[in-house]
Structure formats: structure tokens, C-alpha cells
Amino acid sequence: MYFHDAETLERSALEKLQAERLKKTIELAANSPYYSEVFKNNKIDPSIIETVDDVKKLPFTTKEDLRSQYPYGLLTQSLDNFVRLHASSGTTGTPTAVFYTQKDLDTWADLMARSMYAVGLRKSDVLQNMSGYGLFTGGLGIHYGSERLGCLTVPAGAGNTKRQIKLIRDFNVTALHIIPSFALYFAAKVRAEGFDPADMPWKIALIGAEPHTEHARKKIEEMLHIKAYNSYGLSEMNGPGVAFECTQQSGMHIWEDSFIAEIIDPETGDPVEDGEIGELVMTTITREGMPIIRYRTRDLTRFIPGQCKCGRTSRRIDRIMGRADDMLILKGVNIYPMQIEKIIMGIPEVGQNYVIELIKEGLVDQIRVKVEIKEEFFVEDMRALQGLQKMIAGKLRDEILVTPRVELVQHNSIPKSEGKAKRVIDLRETED
Amino acid sequence: MYFHDAETLERSALEKLQAERLKKTIELAANSPYYSEVFKNNKIDPSIIETVDDVKKLPFTTKEDLRSQYPYGLLTQSLDNFVRLHASSGTTGTPTAVFYTQKDLDTWADLMARSMYAVGLRKSDVLQNMSGYGLFTGGLGIHYGSERLGCLTVPAGAGNTKRQIKLIRDFNVTALHIIPSFALYFAAKVRAEGFDPADMPWKIALIGAEPHTEHARKKIEEMLHIKAYNSYGLSEMNGPGVAFECTQQSGMHIWEDSFIAEIIDPETGDPVEDGEIGELVMTTITREGMPIIRYRTRDLTRFIPGQCKCGRTSRRIDRIMGRADDMLILKGVNIYPMQIEKIIMGIPEVGQNYVIELIKEGLVDQIRVKVEIKEEFFVEDMRALQGLQKMIAGKLRDEILVTPRVELVQHNSIPKSEGKAKRVIDLRETED
């Protein structure tokens, strides 16, 4: 049961379609001030594309490029033809803006509808959209997709938990679009209002708006008595609906008939080995108003090898493991803090807090991971602790390919930071 | 230049169309649990409709009826066929909910696009939607209409004035959808940020979300250097886009190919004389999912006699003059506080504040209007004051048909209330 034929295309047919659409995209993009210049400087025209692999011949587009072209530099058509824009807040500099023609909105709504279908939503479902609307693509993106799929859509917006609960009960809401960081708070509020989440009519939660761990998903599923599905999107690629889990919950299917995805080494720009972590690079191939070529998302993930049991032929990406800007290079190896976190948090003896320190040992850079051990495991027995330490170092080496120093510390001995924890501290300048 | 042929239909053709659509609406409505019962009890079927005037044979639908049928009693189709709902907050009792099929959303978007076209918006315009989205019909209503018309739509949402200004400047926003009570605050903020409203790219403001006076409109136009247009809508009739001003700014055209409008005496239910104030009653004739027949809006207005210079043949309503629940009956005459306010505020000597008191003179009910006089006019000369008093009483009598007692009081002598002023005080029980 699929929403669109493209979801199960043979790889060869899919890649042929991608190549055709990429060619077409280059033709279109050449009408924008920015790409017309880039293509001229790099001697690029549609004829250089024969297979989808030829996407590698094209230059990258970065966030900085989008900023420098703000607001209209990437538009392929007269402004008259656009009916929507979404813009970043620009709190950290020049904002970026993405413009949509009516056809682009239709394409996006179709991709969203397809995504929601993949996690089991049907026109008989009632979806409550609990995220904010406005310039954030998540709100209107889900809204249009839900209507396109034919779900009864409740545009609740953010906030007002009490009313959210009333709406859910009154209208037998079967699906929620909810921000993961709000979901646990919401679950507690539902209980506080005297309701058992198990008795609520909901079945499915879309929680893709923020990167989160598998652990967080499990917790949300448990607390809300719901199936929670992750997804991936970014406003530069429309918004939500770029990649979506299916009911298998084993990675997010990229809608490859609309996007070409690559994963590269953020330092060299070269493709990583299949299954290796790297920076996701995306190219739109069905957008007409503002195509973007080889966009450096800065998001870290990997292709999940093999085929999904659901029968869809599109490649899957793993959950986002951080930002390329967080990458550390040690002994020539790329290391991402999230890799370390994943291992550490999977060890039962480890408590809530840890910190990664970059240090110098003589002339050589080294990583030191300080790990809080739960009270009950922090025993006097030196040998037991040494064993634990060795085990952690070994597991980390298997993941990141270098052996870090591991230091076990007592519960609550690492300072807690307000808000987002600072997990990586560079001590290479201050230590000798 | 009109958006749709229906706007300039000959009255006879328009009324024929209305009658046909009303017939069809009765057929459809009979599929809902509520109307099937109502029609059976009142022996109503489509055959009783020959002309649009036969709408009077149908029973009214009240807010209380909608509440008693909450949530699904008025739906003509299976819930599967609906893709959107809007609901009132229900802070003062059971909420009401309105459900839309995809076709209903399309019809609504077309009506909104037509409305925006009537005030001069074209696809080359850039509209910033500064109202909240979510369950409030104003946000998504304007949004869908703007996209339908082909305007570049900036879904800014409410709040964050600084960012609103940046978006307006960055994207050359030519039209604002802004809540009237926010517009003056916004104008002040624009100045505080160092910008002259006269230099801003905007030309047109849609300010219909709240009833407001002509004085408020003028003030908004002056402060923002903008043309501001009023409109009328309510969620029971989709939301915004029921009646809209044209560039003449002389009343709001009802889109009579989609709605049948009547104005009745809220006490008797009988039609008022043409041009008289009464309660607006509306019937949907293009809605399929949830038709509503002879809905008692409780909103007070009047039909504006004559034809509009714009060439549209649809009847116009005056701005909303209050709620039917505010109506006073004195010596058999219906009196609306807004009528009194309109007269009083048009007199130069009158200050900011006034109050209407219901009193008993012997056995007879009487109205006493206490009016604050500006300091410079509150002179010692008794005769001058008596003249003013007489003049005000005379003007009021011409408007409300009974002569009220008028009492002139000094500036600042009427207690100011926080928030919405309580303008009518019933003293009939306490005074002898």
C-alpha cells in the first residue's frame, strides 16, 4: 500500500528519473541570477548530466550562498509567480528565505501526504496540528499535507494544553503533530488533567520537527501510548516531507524522486563510504521556483544499508546525529560527539552527564571522555571500576575508530549547565 | 474589473441563482441529523422554494442550536469527507465547530480571493498575514485567499513587531492583514523603530477581523499611510469573506451568490424596512459539508440602499453596529447603543466618555444619556449649555425616534472602566 508509484520504482528506473529531473533542474536554475553566474563560471550546462552520479560535477550551495543572495537571487521566475515564502528568523545574521510557486506548494503537499500515508495515516484519520503556524515550515507543511491526504485537520497551533486535550477528546483525534521536546511535558499534563493517555483516541504522533534520540522516541511512545514517527526536512528543501519513516521505524525514506541525496565528508567534500556518517547534501529535482543544488545541510547522518521491509525502494537515512560543525578530527578520523553520546548512554552503569574534552598529550591531540557513573555502581572496588573503564573505551573505539581516554567520575561531579549542555570542551590551548 | 461574473449579475438573474442554490441546499441539509429532524417537524422540502424570498418559510438556526448539535449534528456527509475544522474556544459554554470538505475550502478560498481583488489586490501584490493562524478562521482564511489570488503570501502570524517590520521592508510587502486593535499600536512601533510609515511599501490593509468605527478606520489610515478596508465574516459562514468593501469604501458587498442575507427585527423575527437596522441572518447556499440555514448572527447592521459606484450588483451592509443582545426596547422602538454612540461622537463639543442609563420615570421606561463635555466647552453660561443639551437630544431623537433625557457632565466625571467600557447601565430596579 503506497501513496505514489515512485515509492517502489526499481532503482535503475528511479535513477533514470532522477537524472532526467536533474537535467531539467539545471535548465531551470540557469534562469536565476545566482546559478546563471555559477554555471557560467563553472562551464555547467544540462548536457554534462548523463546519470544521477553526475550530480557530483555540480558545485555545492551553502547557507552562506543563500544569505548572500537574500532575498531574490535564486528565483527562476518573476516574483509575480510566487505565492508563498518562508523565512528564517535571521537571529544569527542575515536571514534566508525560500519562495514557492503554486506548483511548488502542490508538490510539497503531495510529498507530505505521501509521508503521512507511509506511517499509516488515511483520509479517515483526524490529525491535530499542535505546532505553531507562521514562518516555520512545520506548521503549514503538515497542515497542507494532512488536507491533501484527506484527513480531518484540526489547526490547533501551539500552546493551551487544556484546550488541546479537549479538542482531541471532542473530535476523536487519531494523530498528533507534536514537537518532541513538548511531547513529554504534554503527556504529564494529560495525566495532571486526570486522563490516562492509554484511553485517549490517538494512535500516531509525528515528532520530526527536532532531532531526537531513539531513547527519546521510546519514552514518548511509552508516556503517550502512541506510535511516534521521526522525519526529516528543512526549509531549504520545502520544509518537512524530505525523508520520513515508514511503519517499520527503521530509518527515514528519502523521497528520491524529488531530491537527490548525498553524504559527504564535511572536510573534503568527497562521498563517504556507504553506511558511514557524513554531511547530508541535498538537491531539489521537482522544485520550479527556487531549485537548490547540492545544498550543504550541515546535518550529520548516514545511509542505512540494505532494503526496507516495507518494500519502498528509496534509500533511508539514519536519525540526524548532530551538525557537521560539531565534527572533531583526531588522527585523521572524523568523530562526531553524537557517536560518543550514543555509546555512553547505552551503558547501564552510566549516569546522566558526561563531557568530551579535547586535550594535548605531548604533541598529539587526544580525546578524554569524562563519564559520570551511577551511585550504585561507583564502588570502592578499583578493579571493577577499571573493568568498566576499559569496557567503555573499547566500545567507543569500535564506534569512532580511535581509543579515547576514559575517566569515570562520581555522580553529580560534572557541572550541569542551564539549557543545552556544552558537551565538548577544547582544552588544547590551556593544557600542556 | 471583477474577479467573478457573479459580482455583476443582474438582480433578477442573481435571485434566480440564489433560489436554485437554496433549493439544492435544502436537499443537502436534509442529509444532516439536525436538519432532517427540523425539516420533518416543519414539513419542509425543496419544493417549497420557488423564489429566494421563500427563504422566509424556513426556520431560524441559532448559536444554541449549533451548540446542542456539537460536534457532528449538522454534517451532511460521512466525517471521512471532511478535511478541516474550526472551533470556537467555548470559554462561555459548549464550543461550536464548523467542518469543511475540500470543495468547501475551495469555495471559501475563491470568495476570499474575490474579496481581496475587490479592494485592489492583484497577483503582483505581497501580502503579510499578521494575524494568528490556528483555529481562528481569520488566519487560514486570509492565507488561502491570498494564495488563491496569487499574491506572494508572507505567513508572519501574530506578534514580534520588529520582525514584522523587517519582513515588510525586506520583501516589499504591499498589503497587510492586521487586526484593527493592533494597527495603531503597530503604527507607533514602526515610528519607534525609526521608520516613517509614509516610506513603507504597504498600500492596503485588511482590517475586518473586529468590528470598528469609521473613526477608527480613518485613524488607522492616517497613522499607517495606508488604505484600510473593512470586511465581515464569521466562522459559521466559513470565516472571513462573507462581505467585503470595494475600493469605494461605502459598505460591504455581500457575496450573494454564496449567501442569502436578511435583516430582521431581533424581537419579532420579521424583516425590517429596507435601510433599517436589525439583526443579520445568513444562509449558506454554496456549502456542501455543513450548510447552515437562516443563521441568527446576532450582529446588527442595515442594508445600504442604492447601488454601489463600483458596478457590483450585490447588496451592501453597513459596518456592524453591535450585537442584537445589546438592543433596548423603549416605547416599542428598538434602540441600539451604537446608534447613540454614533451621534454623540459626531458632536465636536463632546469628550471621550458617555454612558446610557435605563431609568424609570413613574411607570415609564426612559433613557438618560450622560455625556462628558470637553473642558473648553463646559462654560458657566447656563444658556449655552442648555442649547447644547437640546441640540444633542434632538439629534438623538432623529436617529432613535424617541427623545431621551440628556445630561451634560464635566470632563472626567464618568468613571473610566478598565478594558471594554460598560456603556449601558440599567437603573430601573434601583431608582424609583
Side-chain angles (χ1 to χ4, degrees):
Chain A
M1 296 286 288
Y2 310 102
F3 187 79
H4 196 281
D5 292 344
E7 295 172 61
T8 49
L9 271 183
E10 292 284 336
R11 288 299 306 176
S12 58
L14 177 61
E15 287 175 9
K16 190 158 165 279
L17 181 68
Q18 286 185 305
E20 278 162 24
R21 289 185 170 174
L22 178 58
K23 241 178 151 76
K24 175 88 185 149
T25 295
I26 292 172
E27 251 172 68
L28 278 171
N31 297 323
S32 73
Y34 175 67
Y35 283 117
S36 102
E37 187 74 14
V38 167
F39 290 172
K40 209 170 64 190
N41 294 342
N42 293 275
K43 298 197 191 348
I44 286 164
D45 67 63
S47 73
I48 69 167
I49 304 296
E50 282 172 29
T51 72
V52 64
D53 221 43
D54 293 328
V55 73
K56 298 195 181 69
K57 298 177 181 168
L58 304 173
F60 292 118
T61 306
T62 65
K63 186 92 173 174
E64 289 63 44
D65 295 329
L66 296 191
R67 286 205 177 113
S68 75
Q69 295 300 313
Y70 178 84
Y72 305 129
L74 268 74
L75 303 195
T76 63
Q77 309 185 12
S78 141
L79 203 56
D80 278 25
N81 295 338
F82 290 87
V83 298
R84 172 95 64 84
L85 70 81
H86 285 278
S88 69
S89 63
T91 41
T92 58
T94 313
T96 54
V98 180
F99 295 76
Y100 309 74
T101 64
Q102 184 57 55
K103 185 159 169 278
D104 291 332
L105 289 186
D106 288 340
T107 308
W108 182 18
D110 280 335
L111 288 171
M112 272 313 311
R114 179 201 296 191
S115 302
M116 293 156 83
Y117 192 92
V119 297
L121 289 176
R122 297 294 180 269
K123 74 187 291 263
S124 55
D125 278 293
V126 182
L127 181 134
Q128 186 150 314
N129 193 5
M130 298 172 64
S131 81
Y133 280 69
L135 290 166
F136 164 59
T137 51
L140 285 167
I142 293 283
H143 181 93
Y144 274 62
S146 176
E147 287 184 1
R148 179 64 54 105
L149 184 53
C151 297
L152 177 57
T153 308
V154 186
N160 203 337
T161 313
K162 243 177 155 151
R163 186 162 80 157
Q164 300 271 9
I165 296 169
K166 177 163 173 54
L167 292 165
I168 288 163
R169 287 164 42 85
D170 283 3
F171 301 117
N172 278 303
V173 168
T174 57
L176 310 177
H177 175 224
I178 185 166
I179 306 294
S181 57
F182 179 65
L184 292 179
Y185 169 83
F186 181 67
K189 273 293 230 183
V190 169
R191 287 196 181 279
E193 291 289 319
F195 301 110
D196 183 346
D199 297 335
M200 298 296 267
W202 57 50
K203 290 178 219 143
I204 290 172
L206 312 177
I207 58 166
E210 297 161 343
H212 56 277
T213 61
E214 185 62 33
H215 178 77
R217 184 234 295 270
K218 287 264 157 57
K219 192 107 188 171
I220 290 167
E221 291 194 325
E222 203 181 288
M223 296 275 289
L224 283 174
H225 281 258
I226 208 163
K227 276 296 228 186
Y229 293 100
N230 191 16
S231 66
Y232 178 73
L234 65 168
S235 63
E236 292 82 355
M237 301 287 122
N238 294 339
V242 173
F244 230 88
E245 285 188 333
C246 63
T247 49
Q248 298 292 325
Q249 291 187 323
S250 61
M252 299 179 279
H253 290 273
I254 306 160
W255 303 131
E256 292 184 275
D257 53 321
S258 260
F259 303 100
I260 296 173
E262 305 165 75
I263 293 181
I264 62 163
D265 181 318
E267 278 299 299
T268 65
D270 295 331
V272 299
E273 293 294 310
D274 208 34
E276 294 292 308
I277 296 171
E279 179 183 348
L280 184 64
V281 170
M282 300 289 290
T283 300
T284 66
I285 52 173
T286 49
R287 208 153 66 173
E288 62 166 30
M290 185 178 167
I292 301 183
I293 289 166
R294 298 195 88 197
Y295 183 65
R296 299 281 301 250
T297 68
R298 309 306 283 153
D299 286 323
L300 298 172
T301 185
R302 63 184 189 102
F303 286 126
I304 295 177
Q307 243 208 291
C308 185
K309 285 189 195 130
C310 75
R312 288 179 183 82
T313 51
S314 55
R315 282 184 298 179
R316 289 163 295 156
I317 51 172
D318 209 338
R319 39 180 82 251
I320 301 304
M321 298 170 188
R323 301 282 297 164
D325 315 79
D326 301 335
M327 186 182 76
L328 314 168
I329 304 180
L330 206 71
K331 298 170 186 167
V333 179
N334 298 349
I335 298 170
Y336 304 104
M338 280 290 280
Q339 291 178 282
I340 296 173
E341 169 159 334
K342 198 178 76 181
I343 297 299
I344 290 176
M345 289 297 153
I347 297 169
E349 290 88 348
V350 171
Q352 286 299 311
N353 219 348
Y354 72 93
V355 67
I356 300 164
E357 294 173 342
L358 287 176
I359 55 173
K360 267 226 186 307
E361 290 188 338
L363 291 174
V364 184
D365 286 349
Q366 177 57 288
I367 279 181
R368 182 166 63 202
V369 185
K370 279 189 182 165
V371 182
E372 279 187 8
I373 298 301
K374 284 184 189 152
E375 243 169 332
E376 60 267 41
F377 294 107
F378 207 89
V379 287
E380 295 292 294
D381 182 353
M382 250 334 243
R383 265 199 310 198
L385 279 181
Q386 274 172 354
L388 182 58
Q389 187 183 31
K390 235 179 171 154
M391 184 268 276
I392 294 175
K395 285 201 170 188
L396 285 172
R397 185 202 53 231
D398 291 347
E399 174 70 28
I400 63 175
L401 308 179
V402 297
T403 309
R405 305 281 168 261
V406 171
E407 207 172 288
L408 305 186
V409 299
Q410 265 183 304
H411 185 62
N412 276 339
S413 64
I414 297 172
K416 279 204 189 72
S417 47
E418 293 285 320
K420 212 178 166 184
K422 188 164 164 50
R423 295 299 198 188
V424 181
I425 298 172
D426 192 341
L427 298 171
R428 285 171 302 182
E429 294 294 306
T430 53
E431 277 195 9
D432 286 85
Chain B
M1 296 283 289
Y2 310 101
F3 187 80
H4 196 280
D5 292 345
E7 295 172 63
T8 51
L9 272 184
E10 292 285 337
R11 289 298 308 176
S12 57
L14 177 61
E15 287 174 8
K16 192 159 163 277
L17 182 69
Q18 287 185 304
E20 279 163 22
R21 289 184 170 173
L22 178 59
K23 242 178 148 76
K24 173 91 185 147
T25 295
I26 292 173
E27 252 172 68
L28 278 171
N31 297 322
S32 72
Y34 176 66
Y35 283 117
S36 100
E37 187 75 14
V38 167
F39 291 172
K40 207 171 63 191
N41 295 341
N42 293 275
K43 300 200 189 346
I44 286 165
D45 66 65
S47 72
I48 68 167
I49 304 296
E50 281 172 29
T51 73
V52 63
D53 222 43
D54 292 329
V55 73
K56 297 194 183 71
K57 299 178 182 167
L58 305 172
F60 292 119
T61 306
T62 64
K63 186 91 172 174
E64 288 63 45
D65 295 328
L66 296 191
R67 286 205 177 114
S68 75
Q69 295 301 313
Y70 177 86
Y72 305 129
L74 269 74
L75 304 194
T76 62
Q77 308 185 12
S78 141
L79 203 56
D80 278 25
N81 295 338
F82 291 86
V83 297
R84 172 97 62 85
L85 71 82
H86 284 278
S88 70
S89 63
T91 42
T92 57
T94 313
T96 55
V98 181
F99 296 76
Y100 309 72
T101 65
Q102 184 57 54
K103 184 158 170 279
D104 290 331
L105 289 186
D106 288 339
T107 307
W108 182 17
D110 280 336
L111 287 172
M112 271 313 311
R114 179 201 297 192
S115 301
M116 292 156 83
Y117 192 93
V119 297
L121 288 175
R122 297 294 179 269
K123 73 189 289 265
S124 55
D125 277 293
V126 182
L127 180 134
Q128 186 151 315
N129 193 5
M130 299 172 65
S131 81
Y133 281 68
L135 290 167
F136 164 58
T137 51
L140 286 167
I142 293 283
H143 181 93
Y144 275 62
S146 177
E147 286 185 1
R148 179 64 54 104
L149 185 54
C151 296
L152 177 57
T153 309
V154 186
N160 202 337
T161 313
K162 244 178 154 153
R163 187 163 80 157
Q164 301 271 10
I165 296 169
K166 179 165 172 53
L167 292 165
I168 288 163
R169 286 164 44 84
D170 284 3
F171 301 117
N172 279 302
V173 168
T174 56
L176 311 177
H177 175 225
I178 186 166
I179 305 294
S181 57
F182 179 65
L184 292 179
Y185 168 83
F186 181 67
K189 274 293 229 180
V190 169
R191 288 196 181 279
E193 290 289 320
F195 302 110
D196 183 346
D199 297 336
M200 298 296 267
W202 57 50
K203 288 178 220 142
I204 290 172
L206 312 178
I207 57 166
E210 297 161 342
H212 56 277
T213 61
E214 185 63 33
H215 178 75
R217 183 234 295 270
K218 287 264 157 57
K219 192 107 185 172
I220 289 168
E221 292 194 323
E222 201 181 289
M223 296 276 287
L224 283 174
H225 281 256
I226 208 162
K227 275 296 225 186
Y229 293 100
N230 191 16
S231 65
Y232 177 73
L234 65 168
S235 62
E236 292 82 355
M237 301 286 124
N238 296 338
V242 173
F244 230 87
E245 284 189 332
C246 63
T247 50
Q248 298 291 326
Q249 292 186 323
S250 60
M252 300 179 280
H253 290 273
I254 306 160
W255 303 131
E256 292 182 277
D257 54 319
S258 260
F259 303 98
I260 295 172
E262 304 165 74
I263 294 181
I264 63 162
D265 181 317
E267 279 299 302
T268 65
D270 295 330
V272 299
E273 293 294 310
D274 210 32
E276 293 293 308
I277 296 172
E279 179 184 349
L280 185 63
V281 171
M282 301 288 289
T283 300
T284 66
I285 51 173
T286 51
R287 208 152 68 172
E288 62 166 29
M290 185 177 166
I292 301 183
I293 289 165
R294 298 195 89 198
Y295 183 64
R296 298 280 302 251
T297 68
R298 308 307 283 154
D299 287 321
L300 299 172
T301 185
R302 62 184 188 102
F303 286 126
I304 296 177
Q307 244 209 290
C308 186
K309 285 188 195 131
C310 75
R312 287 179 182 82
T313 51
S314 55
R315 280 183 300 177
R316 291 163 294 156
I317 51 171
D318 209 340
R319 40 179 82 252
I320 300 306
M321 297 171 188
R323 302 280 298 163
D325 314 80
D326 301 335
M327 186 182 77
L328 314 169
I329 303 180
L330 206 70
K331 296 169 186 166
V333 179
N334 298 349
I335 299 171
Y336 304 104
M338 282 289 281
Q339 292 178 281
I340 296 174
E341 168 159 332
K342 198 178 75 182
I343 297 299
I344 289 177
M345 289 297 152
I347 297 169
E349 290 88 346
V350 170
Q352 286 297 312
N353 219 348
Y354 72 93
V355 67
I356 300 165
E357 294 173 343
L358 288 176
I359 55 174
K360 268 227 187 306
E361 289 187 338
L363 291 172
V364 185
D365 286 349
Q366 177 58 290
I367 280 181
R368 181 165 64 200
V369 186
K370 279 189 184 166
V371 183
E372 277 188 9
I373 299 302
K374 285 183 188 152
E375 242 168 336
E376 61 266 41
F377 294 107
F378 208 87
V379 287
E380 296 292 297
D381 180 354
M382 250 335 240
R383 266 199 309 196
L385 280 180
Q386 275 172 354
L388 183 58
Q389 189 183 32
K390 236 181 172 155
M391 185 266 278
I392 294 175
K395 285 201 169 189
L396 285 172
R397 185 203 52 231
D398 291 348
E399 174 68 29
I400 63 176
L401 308 179
V402 298
T403 310
R405 304 279 168 261
V406 172
E407 206 173 290
L408 305 186
V409 299
Q410 265 183 302
H411 183 66
N412 275 339
S413 65
I414 296 173
K416 279 203 189 73
S417 47
E418 293 286 320
K420 212 177 166 186
K422 188 164 167 50
R423 297 299 198 188
V424 182
I425 298 171
D426 192 340
L427 299 172
R428 287 172 298 181
E429 295 296 306
T430 52
E431 277 193 10
D432 287 85

